[in-house]
């Protein structure tokens, strides 16, 4: 009871993250191999004159050492937590120390804001070591602030100059890496020698492509969610009483839901990208679920599991139209009925909507209608992530079942339980896959700084194979950028990688889902294992394996 | 992808559950050692003339074999799922086969109802083997039906006679084991030779005492919940943005919440038994949470974790009084406003309540008031387990914080997320502790049948020590019974073991909770490990260790 770390954390402290062959002796004996630069859009080339047109890189065994002397490197954790963030820092610290023991690392506190306010801490090895293989971002904290305005860019430049940083490692998702690209360009334009390196992080799994095979944290988080979904499926089957509707994190992309579906084989799974492509309406979605509920009830199975991605509702055409209409109306409404009682506000807002949006709005259950209004943010925007999509679906399916029952067309019962899993997985201790992957990413980031290569994102290729054969690489941030319209302006951004309905991962799911719907084909993956045979303790995401197998 | 079991399930199939030394060679070479019978209340002796006054038993190495020939034994899983149920059956099958290969086991389907309707399946070893070390009750299903009325007892007697059962093993909690005691008595009175054996199961951990150290499933389920609470605590600390209010299963007893608190060290934990003893009101509970929220905010920590047992609300005096009043009113109300709109019903019911109950009712948030009415069951009883206690607390604390803010007495922010964990843990694959414990219990049950000892519950003592030294035992069911008033009648029941606020487990918590409140003393236990060093893969519940250490 006296120990301040759990037995598992203590045991995990002893785990030495593995490195690919090229990095076994650290970064002192590697060379950079250059690939041909990717073709870039003119707008990107013009916006990034200093950092565009650079080659992709690969770290291979060489004679070293890297050209730069002892280094002082800053690191910042940006955005939502993902398992493995601490190992990125440990990898960075270990790699720099191995290359030059007088090197040092400083960590900015509370995310990018920490750079702007110069809040940081020194990170000697002893400070980082206790965080080896742990989850969370609590070593430094995190934040969602951006460094965007000319003033912020200037403040950041001054901070890096004042700290004499040879490098700045930005651990984050698509937005943070877009930010890193802008910083790299800005620093070069200002003649600042701070090398900027991005590290791809997000449990959503939507930062990939262009040489990035996976973002870190996805493997661990999906393993936690799949554990829970599997346990719930086993409960559903054992009790024979409930349908469980489970909403999973992933607002834009449904990678998390798809990976969990492959690991657990639920009866119904929605992939938002497919819903959008097919233009499926809420009524069609409800009809499909109700149909499976009925067919299973006919087979004597009044239970089941339905997976729903957090962002589903945004991809349903009439709901998307309603949101747009509501955003406009709520903007105007703020002065008027904003302070009224919920029921009054609902009536008032309904009156302000056009006919089609009104029909959709009025058809929703009262709590959801209130949720749509109450949870609008300070700009009057509906906050989709707070809508209980799973509860909405349950209510609609219940209504459908009642109608069938009245016609004598529904045998059995329909009782539902709802769940939402998000916070449960973001800070789990990294799986061996994520522990090795992030430790390697930290080494790659260190190498990029030591070799004076700015504007890159650290990448590891061949992740579906053994760690030994992973290829430590780097991809120019500019090669990931595209121009997108944001708030009326065309700006460079790293786009989110969505689930491809013509890809091997979706196919593996689509091929089987009809069988999973009616049979009990559930798989029970169980808890993440950090020890034991490689089949249970050594595997990465199924999505990666499927993508790799398809070439 | 093609496999029908997950990699972990496959790996776990290879795990051989361990047995205590006395059972290493099965049940063919054991002897029963008798202890002095416990003193029983007169009412119990009179109600159970055939089965009372029996000695406690201990299985010790002997020359065997047991007196009865090849056996046919029935088994039934009763009530909510608990990890390890399948291993009880496997242990039973293995033990009987080892003793006499022509023995057989039949499993009743869907709980006790399966006995009444004679729905069962033969359980040859090959049918059970794939369920080795798996979670869930899906081999047989379960159910909450009871065998109580004279007609049901008679039907059950006939079923056991028709199947020529030498034994009936009832796997269940306090109610099911009470039922087993009644069945044992009834069978003897009828001259039926079917030996009845109970096996203590419940994730709630409230069937213990009188020679039973723990119910199976508690260890695994609390490990799953503690994993999630730990992950959430790490998220809270990393993000620094949210208070997480987590409701955990356990309606009568708070063992689950207490075990999880010891494993994770949250900032605030409620133990329902203490709330009742102290007569703490809802206002006092809210004040205490708000106070911790404020002190943490003052220390720059606008985040935290609060654990709440499912049954908390029932133990708050004014809420209990309200429930009682509501039960009475709802009974009368059914005809009148029962079909009205929720808001109308709430107003109507409020008018029917006495002054004190009405004051409590009216002070509750609208959704909770509606929940109290809408979820009343068919008998008009309020279904407490469906009340979102955690949401109620959040709303009240928010109000308190708003008031402080208005007075300028609250720095920082209070944003909360709510969670309820129950189904996530009931069907997890059993921990090594539960896997070994249940396999042993199955052996003990087999031995009791083979030695013709009816009316016992299988028990294992010394559970805090190594498996090798566990003591395979049996406790007379009658020794666990007490007389309780149920529905106006005095009936024999096995009482639920509540958390003892003067016990070593509660003390270990109470000693530290003030420190946990303000500091970040969180522990992150992580996922259940089935492999790896014994410190992570071999330990049972902390509660057990603390109870054992205190003598």
């Amino acid at each position: 009871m006296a120990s301040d770390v759990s037995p598992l954390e203590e045991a995990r402290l002893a785990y030495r993250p593995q490195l690919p062959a090229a990095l076994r002796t650290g970064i002192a004996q590697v060379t950079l191999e250059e690939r041909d630069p990717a073709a870039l859009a003119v707008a990107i080339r013009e916006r990034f004159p200093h950092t565009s047109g650079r080659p992709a890189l690969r770290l291979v065994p060489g004679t070293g050492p890297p050209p730069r002397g002892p280094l002082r490197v800053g690191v910042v954790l940006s955005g939502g937590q993902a398992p493995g963030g601490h190992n990125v820092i440990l990898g960075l610290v270990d790699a720099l120390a191995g290359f030059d023991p007088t090197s040092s690392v400083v960590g900015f506190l509370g995310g990018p804001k920490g750079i702007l306010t110069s809040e940081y801490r020194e990170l000697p090895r002893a400070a980082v070591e206790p965080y080896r293989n742990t989850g969370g971002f609590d070593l430094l904290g995190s934040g969602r602030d951006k460094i965007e305005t000319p003033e912020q860019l200037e403040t950041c430049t001054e901070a890096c100059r004042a700290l004499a940083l040879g490098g700045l490692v930005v651990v984050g998702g698509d937005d943070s890496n877009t930010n890193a690209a802008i910083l790299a360009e800005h620093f070069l334009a200002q003649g600042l020698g701070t090398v900027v390196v991005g590290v791809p992080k997000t449990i959503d799994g939507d930062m990939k492509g262009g040489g990035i095979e996976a973002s870190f944290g996805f493997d661990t988080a999906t393993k936690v969610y799949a554990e829970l979904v599997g346990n719930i499926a086993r409960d559903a089957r054992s009790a024979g009483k409930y349908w469980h509707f489970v909403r999973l994190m992933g607002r834009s992309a449904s990678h998390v839901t798809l990976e969990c579906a492959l690991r657990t084989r639920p009866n119904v799974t929605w992939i938002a990208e497919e819903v959008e492509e097919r233009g499926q309406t809420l009524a069609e979605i409800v009809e499909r679920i109700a149909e499976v509920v009925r067919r299973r009830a006919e087979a004597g199975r009044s239970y089941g599991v339905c997976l729903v991605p957090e962002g589903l509702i945004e991809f349903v055409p009439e709901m998307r139209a309603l949101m747009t209409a509501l955003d406009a109306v709520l903007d105007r409404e703020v002065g008027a009925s904003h302070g009224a009682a919920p029921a009054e506000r609902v009536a008032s807002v309904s009156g302000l909507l056009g006919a089609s949006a009104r029909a959709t709005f009025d058809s929703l259950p009262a709590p959801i209608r209130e949720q749509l209004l109450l949870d609008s943010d300070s700009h009057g925007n509906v906050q989709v992530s707070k809508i209980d999509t799973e509860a909405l679906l349950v209510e609609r399916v219940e209504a459908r079942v009642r109608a069938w029952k009245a016609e004598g067309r529904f045998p059995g019962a329909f009782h539902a339980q709802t769940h939402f899993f998000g916070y449960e997985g973001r800070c789990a201790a990294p799986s061996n896959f994520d522990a090795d992957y992030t430790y390697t990413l930290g080494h790659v980031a260190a190498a990029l700084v030591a070799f004076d290569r700015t504007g890159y994102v650290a990448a590891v290729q061949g992740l579906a194979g053994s760690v030994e054969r992973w290829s430590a690489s780097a991809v120019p941030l500019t090669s990931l950028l595209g121009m997108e319209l944001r708030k009326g302006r065309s700006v460079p951004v790293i786009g989110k990688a969505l689930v491809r309905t013509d890809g091997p991962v979706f196919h593996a799911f689509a091929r089987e889902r009809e069988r999973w719907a009616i049979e009990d084909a559930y798989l029970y993956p169980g808890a993440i294992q950090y020890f034991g045979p490689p089949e249970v303790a050594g595997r990465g995401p199924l999505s990666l394996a499927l993508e790799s197998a398809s070439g």
Side-chain angles (χ1 to χ4, degrees), chain A residues 144-348:
Chain A
R144 293 186 184 276
D145 303 272
K146 291 185 185 173
I147 296 170
E148 286 183 315
T149 65
E151 297 73 35
Q152 288 168 336
L153 287 170
E154 204 34 51
T155 309
C156 182
T157 307
E158 282 317 307
C160 293
R161 203 191 305 269
L163 283 165
L165 295 187
L168 175 64
V169 178
V170 178
V171 180
D174 48 339
D175 276 348
S176 308
N177 276 285
T178 299
N179 226 209
I182 291 168
L183 275 183
E185 179 69 23
H186 184 78
F187 286 175
L188 272 196
Q190 301 293 311
L192 181 68
T194 307
V195 163
V196 181
V197 177
V199 174
K201 171 232 69 171
T202 162
I203 64 157
D204 293 343
D206 57 7
M207 187 177 166
K208 65 177 176 183
I212 298 173
E213 294 185 359
S215 54
F216 79 77
F218 176 76
D219 182 56
T220 308
T222 53
K223 277 176 175 158
V224 175
Y225 302 144
E227 171 197 4
L228 301 180
V229 172
N231 287 356
I232 284 171
R234 189 136 217 170
D235 200 300
R237 180 171 154 85
S238 296
K241 283 202 300 199
Y242 294 114
W243 266 83
H244 292 268
F245 283 62
V246 183
R247 179 164 47 116
L248 294 173
M249 268 199 175
R251 185 171 160 185
S252 305
S254 300
H255 299 290
V256 168
T257 300
L258 185 54
E259 174 79 18
C260 288
L262 290 168
R263 288 193 180 275
T264 62
R265 303 181 185 166
N267 304 105
V268 182
T269 302
W270 294 101
I271 301 300
E273 289 85 342
E274 184 188 30
V275 168
E276 183 175 42
E277 273 179 34
R278 294 188 171 191
Q280 285 175 297
T281 65
L282 188 56
E284 286 168 350
I285 290 172
V286 170
E287 192 64 24
R288 158 73 185 172
I289 302 174
E291 193 62 35
V292 174
V293 167
R294 194 173 58 74
R295 284 166 62 199
R296 288 182 59 83
E298 283 168 1
R301 302 193 190 105
S302 290
Y303 60 88
V305 177
C306 174
L307 291 195
V308 183
E310 194 181 9
L312 178 66
I313 202 107
E314 280 187 281
F315 291 83
V316 174
E318 80 265 36
M319 290 301 291
R320 178 170 280 186
L322 171 60
M323 308 269 173
T324 310
L326 275 178
D327 279 351
V329 165
L330 288 175
D331 233 16
R332 280 190 286 141
E333 182 245 2
V334 171
S337 60
H338 194 70
E344 258 177 76
R345 264 194 83 197
V346 162
S348 138

Side-chain angles (χ1 to χ4, degrees), chain A residues 475-507:
Chain A
V475 174
L477 281 161
T478 49
S479 73
L480 303 174
L481 291 167
M483 299 303 288
E484 277 189 23
L485 212 60
R486 296 260 171 112
K487 297 177 189 162
R489 291 197 314 137
S490 177
V491 292
V493 296
I494 298 176
K496 285 188 194 297
L498 302 180
V499 169
R500 290 181 47 185
T501 55
D502 60 352
V505 189
F506 185 84
H507 274 171

